[in-house]
Amino acid sequence: MSEETPGFDEKPEVPVDGTPDEPKAADSASEEAAAPAGDAAAQAIGQETALLAQLDQARTALGERTTDLQRLQAEYQNYRRRVERDRIAVKEIAVASLLTELLPTLDDIGRAREHGELVGGFKSVAESLETAAAKMGLQQFGKEGEPFDPTIHEALMHSYAPDVTETTCVAILQPGYRIGERTIRPARVAVAEPQPGAAPKSESSEGDASSDKDADAADNG
């Protein structure tokens, strides 16, 4: 009987399908599956970055367009204001030109009224004309006793008076006319100035004079 060598007849365990390296193949498959997943994540990050860049560009473009729109709106508003201002100025010039032509007629009406000749049908026509001129903005100015103002008065006569303390309009020779703040004809007036060398009366001197008069009255009493 022969001796058997221990372990000689033992055979390594071999899988039935004859593929002893199957675990390694599974690891390779896992790595191959992980690789596409990583590429997909990288692609997603790249797409997100591209979208953010496009969003920034869109925001920049929107800001530029908004600025342009605001500038155009401001220019349009300025244009409208200029057109409105020019329209009003042209209207005022036209009205002032028309009313300036009517001033001699209004002067004749005023003189006729002063002499009591404004009667009958002539009075009605004159008053209608004055009313129409007033509706167009014509205003008459110039009164006796008001201080002389060279911007609205034209002095045609000059004199001295003891009872004035400043250059004063003592007579209105021809009334002035204005439209709003615009003077279309100054008032033509006669002015009086204080007497040369005359000292202005002060309140104290007037008070002293009245006291003296009271004292004299008391003595006489």
Side-chain angles (χ1 to χ4, degrees):
M1 187 174 199
S2 60
E3 295 180 1
E4 296 180 359
T5 304
F8 181 78
D9 292 334
E10 294 179 0
K11 295 181 181 180
E13 295 181 359
V14 179
V16 177
D17 56 359
T19 55
D21 297 333
E22 184 176 358
K24 294 182 179 180
D27 294 339
S28 299
S30 300
E31 292 176 356
E32 291 176 356
D39 293 341
Q43 291 178 358
I45 294 174
Q47 292 177 355
E48 183 178 358
T49 303
L51 289 175
L52 290 175
Q54 292 178 0
L55 180 60
D56 290 339
Q57 291 177 356
R59 287 175 177 172
T60 301
L62 178 61
E64 292 175 353
R65 299 299 179 272
T66 302
T67 301
D68 293 340
L69 179 60
Q70 292 174 347
R71 178 176 54 81
L72 289 175
Q73 287 179 340
E75 291 178 355
Y76 178 67
Q77 292 297 331
N78 292 333
Y79 168 75
R80 288 188 60 184
R81 283 193 288 267
R82 287 196 302 271
V83 170
E84 182 66 17
R85 184 171 60 249
D86 293 343
R87 185 186 67 80
I88 294 174
V90 170
K91 179 181 178 182
E92 289 179 351
I93 291 173
V95 171
S97 178
L98 173 62
L99 293 177
T100 300
E101 296 297 327
L102 292 177
L103 294 185
T105 303
L106 296 175
D107 292 336
D108 292 339
I109 292 173
R111 284 190 289 268
R113 182 179 286 111
E114 290 176 358
H115 291 85
E117 299 175 355
L118 197 63
V119 295
F122 178 52
K123 179 179 180 181
S124 299
V125 173
E127 291 177 349
S128 297
L129 179 61
E130 290 175 334
T131 301
K135 288 182 178 180
M136 297 177 70
L138 186 66
Q139 299 176 354
Q140 179 178 314
F141 66 90
K143 294 181 180 180
E144 295 182 4
E146 63 184 7
F148 175 75
D149 184 351
T151 61
I152 60 174
H153 296 137
E154 181 181 354
L156 300 182
M157 298 178 63
H158 178 272
S159 62
Y160 294 98
D163 56 344
V164 297
T165 58
E166 60 180 342
T167 304
T168 305
C169 300
V170 294
I172 305 300
L173 306 178
Q174 199 173 51
Y177 289 96
R178 66 164 65 97
I179 301 175
E181 299 297 327
R182 180 179 180 181
T183 300
I184 61 175
R185 191 182 74 181
R188 292 164 181 169
V189 300
V191 299
E193 294 184 14
Q195 288 284 359
K201 296 180 179 180
S202 61
E203 294 181 359
S204 59
S205 60
E206 292 178 356
D208 293 341
S210 61
S211 299
D212 294 339
K213 290 180 180 179
D214 294 340
D216 293 339
D219 294 339
N220 293 332

